[in-house]
Amino acid sequence: MKEKDVPSSKLISKNKLGDTMDITEECPQQDSSDTTMDQCIDRDANIAVESKSLLDQSYPDFVEKYFSCINCNEVRGPEDDYRVLVHSNRVCLVTLADSHKLKHPDKVPIKVDFQISDKINREDNPMTGKGKRGAQQLCNNSILCYVTCQDGSRVPIHAAVGGKLLEINQSLVQNPTAVKETYIAIVLPSIPTFESFEIPLKNEDGFFDVDCDS
Amino acid sequence: MKFLYKVLLNIIVMSATESDCKNKLTAQKKGEVFHHMQEVGCCDMCAHLYSGHTSYAFYEKVHKEHIQHGTEGKKLKTNPCVSCLGLLHSPFKENITDRIISEIKQSDNDYDSFNLALTLPISYQLRAHSLAYYVRKHYPKIAHTFGGKVFPWMTVKNIFKVTTAPIIAKSVGRTLNPNSELTINVKLTYSNDGLESSKLLELCPSVFGFRQRKCAELLFSKKTLYHAFHRGLNIELRNFSSYPPNVPNHPLVFSQVNFNQSPMYCAGRYNKYSRTLPHARWIMNGKRMLNTSVQELFSKDVQALFKAQDYTFSSSGREDVDVRMLGNGRPFSLELINPMRTKVPQKEIDDLMERLNKEHATNIKLNDMQIISKDDVKYLKKGEQSETKIYEALCVSKKPLTDELLSNLTSCVPLVIEQKTPVRDLSRRANMVRYKTIYSMNITPVPHSSTNQTYFCVKLKTQSGTYVKEFVTGDFGRTTPSLRSLLNDPDIDVLALDVLNVDLDWPPKKKQILRSREKTQTNDVQQNTQQRALLLYTSDMKFDWYKLLIQAKLSVGSNASNGNFIRALHLSRVISEVSNKSEDVTEVRRLNRNKFLVVCRTAKCANTIIQSKKVQEEFNAFIPTVYMQRSAVIRVLMSTRNLCFPEACHLVPPLHVRMRLQTKNSFSVLENMNEEMPSHVNSQDYPRLRKNVTHSRTIDKYIPPPLSTRTTKRKTVFSSSSV
């Protein structure tokens, strides 16, 4: 009952008065110690109440929360830099690094072409099943697509990580300018490749976080 | 089932009559063989077996006589029988049965009935084969009763089941039932088995040499022996040992007994209150992330309560580690494999539930645990696709919420979203697009103190299988539309998520379901005609073809199969009469014993068939019920994929059809039935009949099924004769 006097109870009454009433009823009768009481309220509480500790805090970005970044610089030639988002389940998203030449403000992409050669088109990837069989195999310098810019230049985008091509971002065909922001391809690297990544521990500037107890 | 029963009865009757006439002819011969086999070293039962007795009743009679007289025939040999290695005669028989009885009595299993299964050594198979050849060589006419095959139809196992198994059942206090959920496997070994069967390897390396390399332990099995016997290697095989086989020095010995109980199912609902508790074991990169999981918290205890060997946990969907499961809980079922306790009272389950709830009060709570039948489990899996779930998500954004946006949101439901497999699930699921429906959406702002962030609660009612977190964040644009795109705010994120409700009636109320099932079964046919006959294809529904499902009464005619063929033909004739233009009806197909499918090209034609009394009256056996199958398919498509357009029709390819009756035997039936059929139909309407069709199976001589399939059949025969 103590909880009700805390300022957050305003919130309860605003949101869901009915639910809070239920909470008190559902408390087990036998244990009336304060700890179980808290637990009980914690258990069935409204989501806003339950996670009130999360409110008014800075929260990590969606990308930061689930992905770690590795930078692949100068894959083929200068200014050919990529930022690869690695999920803990080995799936990688290839995006352009800020230092990539396409990120220049004067480069305006007008067309994205997935037809790499006469035979290879990244858009038709005959992958089936959860085993990802038949997926196109990529090396780290395989070309994912060609981006044609307004000034007439044709820039190839490389895969940066080798592995199976799970998906190519097809929305880029409609919206070529999105190349600068969103992912270009989803790649599943082989286990040895994945283990060779030097994944920085949630730190973007390339330094490892080291625990210093002293 | 009824049909099968009939067939089985027929087989029994047939075999009985068959053996009766043979008996008259060869009664003397049989006696001769009987004595000869006894001299070779067979026990009474085996001697009877090889002299060609095939009825169970005979062996039961012999067994009773043995008990009455106290002895087994003339002499009690000290050595076991050549054929059965002591399984069927004392004193070795008693040793085996006593061990079986004591093992069953000692076991924890408490099921009322049981079925006995024997595993005999390979030597037995070889000996039986050799002896059968021996009999055939000396008495070719007797061998004929084996049914053309060398191996006799009856086996030692069957005789054991007829004679000794009832005694075991009596002393154990359980009933013997071949269809029982408890199977007791008794393994018998023979000390010279390895020596005798190793000769096989030399004799037919083509069969066993290959297996020797592949799997050394299972070198000889019933199946490989069957292969060997049927590869023309008989001549060599029959001489595998002394011919007839030598008299064994050691009897069969009981080695082990296995209890095999069919699985039981325990159902319930669980709540999850922890945000650090995975649904199942969470292993990442070979390392265990968290110590427990929902299923591990209580499954072990339930398993212990039922004394089961193993368990499998299945639930209707699953939630993430950091998601709570509130409300009335998520339905689950626990399959208990090989349980020893089959009669656990509800009170014990309740007690266990209470105890577990107290123990894990902070993490989980269990509700409504009870034992359910296997059929109900299907209901859980079925519900997994159709149910709806209510979620509540606490979201955060950097922009303030305007009323305009909120009203936009609430007006756009029901909303069909396109979800590609999210990145976080991409490693274990196939990459594909799934269409999910969001039925309702409510946003309530949450008051807070910070200035640059907005918090709000989203309450969602969605189809099962929707990835809610991805619906909010958009998952790099792989879920469209998402809350980010709907609110035009790229910074929305989920802070916390709860499942408030899983809309599935679980655990099923047993009695109600049973009652409703019975009701539907009895009134099914009548109700269907009244309700469905009214369903007509309306003019606004335009399809390439129209399907009618016509259902016949269950019990018509004695010879069920033939009757149906005739009816299919007759139906097509009646229909072509009714629907004036015969080209409108494109197909009449027999789906199963009493269901027929009629495909029409026009709605008018379909409607006339539905409405016509002729189909119902002229052919008394028929009660037409109508499915608008085509429109149903499209409606399903519309609901799942939001295809509310005429294009939906193209998803279902048109069927290029012609008049056809699927069963070929129907034509041969027609040949015999010319007079009874109405003659005013053009013969050109139907495909030509093939002449000289050899279809009928004459039953002058009964040929038993091949060895491998025989055992199951014999079991059922055994059941009907013993009951």
Side-chain angles (χ1 to χ4, degrees):
Chain A
M1 301 306 286
K2 230 169 147 190
E3 288 284 321
K4 279 205 165 180
D5 303 323
V6 177
S8 68
S9 66
K10 274 184 208 164
L11 187 149
I12 300 169
S13 54
K14 265 190 188 174
N15 278 328
K16 282 200 163 184
L17 202 91
D19 274 16
T20 52
M21 296 302 281
D22 286 346
I23 294 162
T24 46
E25 280 169 14
E26 274 186 25
C27 281
Q29 300 282 315
Q30 313 90 308
D31 302 304
S32 54
S33 64
D34 277 356
T35 51
T36 50
M37 200 72 164
D38 281 344
Q39 277 168 7
C40 193
I41 287 165
D42 202 24
R43 268 174 29 158
D44 263 21
N46 183 305
I47 188 162
V49 181
E50 190 261 345
S51 50
K52 61 177 179 290
S53 60
L54 289 169
L55 296 177
D56 306 331
Q57 271 181 7
S58 64
Y59 58 93
D61 184 51
F62 166 69
V63 174
E64 274 175 48
K65 207 156 79 181
Y66 297 111
F67 295 89
S68 45
C69 293
I70 55 169
N71 293 316
C72 297
N73 291 338
E74 302 191 354
V75 173
R76 228 178 209 198
E79 292 195 317
D80 198 16
D81 303 341
Y82 299 93
R83 182 163 158 262
V84 180
L85 305 177
V86 187
H87 196 272
S88 57
N89 65 6
R90 193 148 70 90
V91 176
C92 296
L93 275 79
V94 180
T95 61
L96 298 183
D98 290 334
S99 51
H100 195 275
K101 59 188 119 172
L102 272 177
K103 286 269 184 157
H104 280 300
D106 53 332
K107 291 265 185 190
V108 184
I110 50 167
K111 198 190 158 202
V112 176
D113 189 9
F114 293 116
Q115 190 77 42
I116 308 306
S117 65
D118 293 342
K119 284 180 185 171
I120 304 168
N121 187 345
R122 298 293 181 206
E123 267 186 293
D124 39 290
N125 192 9
M127 187 182 73
T128 50
K130 72 177 198 180
K132 280 50 172 188
R133 281 197 296 177
Q136 289 184 11
Q137 291 286 345
L138 299 171
C139 291
N140 63 345
N141 56 7
S142 306
I143 295 166
L144 287 176
C145 60
Y146 288 106
V147 179
T148 315
C149 294
Q150 214 162 26
D151 56 1
S153 59
R154 195 155 179 257
V155 182
I157 292 181
H158 296 106
V161 281
K164 281 180 175 176
L165 177 69
L166 297 191
E167 190 181 285
I168 198 97
N169 192 351
Q170 290 181 346
S171 66
L172 294 178
V173 176
Q174 264 95 46
N175 189 10
T177 45
V179 164
K180 291 185 177 184
E181 282 98 41
T182 184
Y183 73 103
I184 291 137
I186 301 177
V187 181
L188 184 73
S190 64
I191 293 171
T193 325
F194 176 67
E195 280 166 358
S196 70
F197 290 159
E198 288 174 2
I199 295 170
L201 299 170
K202 302 277 174 192
N203 211 333
E204 279 219 86
D205 44 10
F207 292 104
F208 287 95
D209 280 353
V210 182
D211 280 349
C212 296
D213 292 324
S214 55
Chain B
M1 200 54 222
K2 225 176 190 180
F3 177 70
L4 196 72
Y5 192 66
K6 252 185 194 172
V7 169
L8 286 172
L9 271 180
N10 278 343
I11 291 171
I12 294 163
V13 170
M14 256 154 45
S15 58
T17 47
E18 211 182 323
S19 59
D20 277 348
C21 23
K22 288 274 154 58
N23 268 344
K24 278 171 198 165
L25 290 168
T26 59
Q28 270 192 327
K29 277 258 177 183
K30 270 186 181 173
E32 220 177 299
V33 180
F34 178 74
H35 290 298
H36 189 118
M37 293 314 286
Q38 275 194 329
E39 277 162 35
V40 167
C42 283
C43 64
D44 272 14
M45 287 290 186
C46 291
H48 281 304
L49 178 72
Y50 288 103
S51 56
H53 289 285
T54 49
S55 72
Y56 290 102
F58 176 80
Y59 290 100
E60 276 179 77
K61 205 178 83 189
V62 173
H63 183 64
K64 271 179 196 163
E65 279 171 15
H66 280 177
I67 293 170
Q68 280 172 5
H69 296 299
T71 53
E72 291 196 11
K74 288 176 194 169
K75 56 214 165 183
L76 277 171
K77 277 188 184 170
T78 46
N79 280 353
C81 161
V82 179
S83 160
C84 65
L85 299 165
L87 182 67
L88 297 179
H89 66 96
S90 49
F92 311 110
K93 182 175 76 173
E94 278 71 27
N95 291 345
I96 295 169
T97 48
D98 285 350
R99 281 297 301 278
I100 295 173
I101 289 166
S102 68
E103 286 284 342
I104 295 175
K105 275 184 178 167
Q106 278 171 26
S107 75
D108 296 330
N109 194 298
D110 62 347
Y111 202 68
D112 288 330
S113 63
F114 72 98
N115 179 26
L116 203 66
L118 292 179
T119 311
L120 293 175
I122 299 297
S123 292
Y124 160 71
Q125 303 276 346
L126 290 173
R127 283 166 177 276
H129 193 74
S130 176
L131 275 171
Y133 263 110
Y134 183 77
V135 176
R136 199 191 193 185
K137 191 182 165 194
H138 290 264
Y139 305 95
K141 282 189 177 171
I142 289 290
H144 190 67
T145 50
F146 295 164
K149 296 267 157 99
V150 179
F151 209 68
W153 185 28
M154 287 286 290
T155 61
V156 168
K157 276 187 198 176
N158 290 14
I159 298 171
F160 182 80
K161 279 180 192 170
V162 174
T163 56
T164 325
I167 297 172
I168 295 173
K170 213 176 175 183
S171 55
V172 166
R174 306 182 196 204
T175 53
L176 191 68
N177 178 8
N179 299 324
S180 168
E181 289 187 9
L182 172 66
T183 307
I184 297 175
N185 290 313
V186 178
K187 200 179 173 192
L188 300 167
T189 49
Y190 170 58
S191 52
N192 276 352
D193 191 28
L195 201 73
E196 281 178 27
S197 54
S198 65
K199 281 175 189 164
L200 271 175
L201 209 60
E202 299 161 24
L203 281 170
C204 27
S206 59
V207 179
F208 298 104
F210 170 68
R211 280 179 68 87
Q212 193 179 18
R213 267 174 275 134
K214 214 176 166 188
C215 38
E217 289 170 21
L218 297 165
L219 187 55
F220 303 107
S221 69
K222 204 175 161 189
K223 210 175 172 184
T224 50
L225 273 185
Y226 179 75
H227 268 278
F229 291 155
H230 288 260
R231 273 203 185 182
L233 301 162
N234 289 326
I235 303 153
E236 297 152 46
L237 269 177
R238 105 179 61 133
N239 299 326
F240 83 100
S241 60
S242 55
Y243 173 60
N246 54 358
V247 177
N249 292 324
H250 306 283
L252 279 181
V253 182
F254 171 93
S255 87
Q256 67 180 63
V257 63
N258 280 329
F259 288 81
N260 207 340
Q261 178 83 36
S262 52
M264 289 177 72
Y265 299 88
C266 186
R269 276 170 177 268
Y270 74 84
N271 288 93
K272 193 184 114 181
Y273 299 111
S274 167
R275 289 198 189 276
T276 52
L277 184 69
H279 178 268
R281 209 169 283 198
W282 185 19
I283 292 162
M284 205 168 78
N285 299 335
K287 219 170 73 187
R288 184 128 196 211
M289 299 301 285
L290 289 163
N291 290 329
T292 57
S293 62
V294 172
Q295 66 179 67
E296 283 167 290
L297 277 181
F298 62 90
S299 296
K300 284 271 175 205
D301 295 86
V302 180
Q303 187 192 348
L305 182 68
F306 285 85
K307 290 187 181 161
Q309 208 173 15
D310 203 356
Y311 67 86
T312 40
F313 179 86
S314 61
S315 66
S316 134
R318 52 194 292 166
E319 68 272 317
D320 291 346
V321 186
D322 54 350
V323 174
R324 295 187 304 171
M325 177 70 232
L326 306 177
N328 53 3
R330 188 183 286 277
F332 70 86
S333 79
L334 205 61
E335 184 186 0
L336 299 150
I337 293 156
N338 202 358
M340 284 293 144
R341 289 188 68 196
T342 54
K343 293 170 201 156
V344 181
Q346 182 63 36
K347 191 163 180 306
E348 279 187 46
I349 298 175
D350 289 341
D351 289 347
L352 177 77
M353 208 164 76
E354 217 167 277
R355 187 171 65 80
L356 287 171
N357 281 347
K358 244 185 226 172
E359 206 173 305
H360 307 295
T362 49
N363 288 329
I364 56 165
K365 189 179 150 223
L366 301 169
N367 304 314
D368 302 333
M369 288 231 302
Q370 55 186 269
I371 299 168
I372 55 161
S373 69
K374 195 178 177 181
D375 293 344
D376 295 331
V377 182
K378 287 177 196 156
Y379 176 65
L380 176 78
K381 285 290 158 197
K382 214 172 151 191
E384 205 170 45
Q385 291 149 21
S386 58
E387 74 205 2
T388 59
K389 280 162 191 169
I390 299 175
Y391 294 90
E392 192 176 29
L394 177 67
C395 297
V396 65
S397 157
K398 280 176 183 159
K399 271 194 207 169
L401 283 172
T402 60
D403 288 342
E404 193 192 348
L405 280 174
L406 290 184
S407 63
N408 276 351
L409 263 189
T410 41
S411 64
C412 70
V413 290
L415 177 73
V416 176
I417 58 169
E418 241 174 75
Q419 284 195 314
K420 285 182 189 162
T421 310
V423 173
R424 69 181 158 104
D425 240 12
L426 209 52
S427 61
R428 57 174 163 261
R429 276 186 98 169
N431 189 11
M432 59 186 286
V433 182
R434 297 184 180 81
Y435 297 90
K436 300 289 171 190
T437 317
I438 287 168
Y439 299 106
S440 72
M441 199 157 31
N442 260 325
I443 294 196
T444 42
V446 174
H448 56 92
S449 56
S450 74
T451 48
N452 56 351
Q453 288 173 352
T454 330
Y455 295 92
F456 53 91
C457 270
V458 188
K459 216 171 182 185
L460 296 163
K461 188 180 176 193
T462 69
Q463 194 184 340
S464 63
T466 314
Y467 290 100
V468 176
K469 281 180 188 168
E470 273 67 25
F471 168 66
V472 175
T473 59
D475 194 31
F476 304 100
R478 304 177 80 243
T479 294
T480 51
S482 65
L483 216 55
R484 275 189 187 184
S485 67
L486 288 171
L487 293 174
N488 201 11
D489 179 354
D491 293 314
I492 295 179
D493 205 353
V494 187
L495 286 182
L497 184 66
D498 278 349
V499 187
L500 297 188
N501 189 26
V502 177
D503 182 24
L504 182 73
D505 187 21
W506 184 265
K509 307 285 177 291
K510 253 187 191 173
K511 282 174 188 170
Q512 284 179 8
I513 284 179
L514 279 179
R515 264 181 222 150
S516 62
R517 263 185 214 152
E518 279 165 18
K519 264 187 195 172
T520 47
Q521 269 175 6
T522 49
N523 299 338
D524 201 19
V525 187
Q526 290 174 357
Q527 279 179 356
N528 280 348
T529 45
Q530 285 164 4
Q531 289 169 1
R532 286 182 187 157
L534 296 174
L535 293 172
L536 294 179
Y537 286 101
T538 53
S539 57
D540 58 309
M541 290 186 278
K542 283 188 179 168
F543 307 124
D544 300 337
W545 34 264
Y546 302 81
K547 279 184 177 179
L548 313 178
L549 191 82
I550 295 184
Q551 198 169 359
K553 261 185 191 169
L554 274 171
S555 54
V556 188
S558 56
N559 196 340
S561 56
N562 283 353
N564 272 319
F565 299 139
I566 299 166
R567 268 183 265 144
L569 270 181
H570 200 143
L571 173 70
S572 61
R573 284 175 187 183
V574 171
I575 284 172
S576 63
E577 245 176 78
V578 168
S579 63
N580 303 324
K581 287 182 197 167
S582 57
E583 64 260 30
D584 279 349
V585 180
T586 50
E587 190 176 343
V588 178
R589 205 198 303 168
R590 180 172 158 268
L591 295 177
N592 61 18
R593 280 185 67 194
N594 55 343
K595 274 182 189 159
F596 300 91
L597 183 74
V598 180
V599 185
C600 313
R601 214 176 283 161
T602 57
K604 198 182 163 194
C605 172
N607 286 340
T608 45
I609 294 172
I610 295 164
Q611 284 167 319
S612 73
K613 296 272 176 190
K614 247 187 185 176
V615 182
Q616 293 176 40
E617 283 174 8
E618 185 161 321
F619 222 65
N620 268 339
F622 285 106
I623 298 168
T625 64
V626 178
Y627 275 24
M628 293 192 291
Q629 218 174 339
R630 178 60 188 254
S631 60
V633 168
I634 288 171
R635 233 176 269 153
V636 168
L637 278 172
M638 283 177 180
S639 65
T640 54
R641 302 195 177 175
N642 204 22
L643 297 166
C644 320
F645 342 101
E647 282 91 344
C649 301
H650 298 293
L651 285 173
V652 189
L655 196 67
H656 298 291
V657 278
R658 60 206 154 75
M659 195 67 172
R660 88 166 182 243
L661 275 149
Q662 277 211 325
T663 46
K664 69 175 178 190
N665 280 359
S666 53
F667 305 123
S668 54
V669 167
L670 222 159
E671 279 180 327
N672 304 332
M673 303 290 292
N674 268 336
E675 305 95 79
E676 288 177 37
M677 284 300 182
S679 55
H680 52 78
V681 184
N682 281 339
S683 60
Q684 289 162 354
D685 289 353
Y686 303 99
R688 281 207 183 150
L689 304 178
R690 268 195 294 145
K691 282 192 177 174
N692 302 330
V693 188
T694 52
H695 67 285
S696 59
R697 212 180 64 156
T698 48
I699 35 175
D700 300 335
K701 195 177 94 181
Y702 178 73
I703 301 163
L707 185 65
S708 59
T709 55
R710 243 192 272 160
T711 39
T712 48
K713 283 211 170 177
R714 264 197 258 109
K715 261 186 202 167
T716 20
V717 172
F718 171 52
S719 76
S720 48
S721 64
S722 65
V723 167

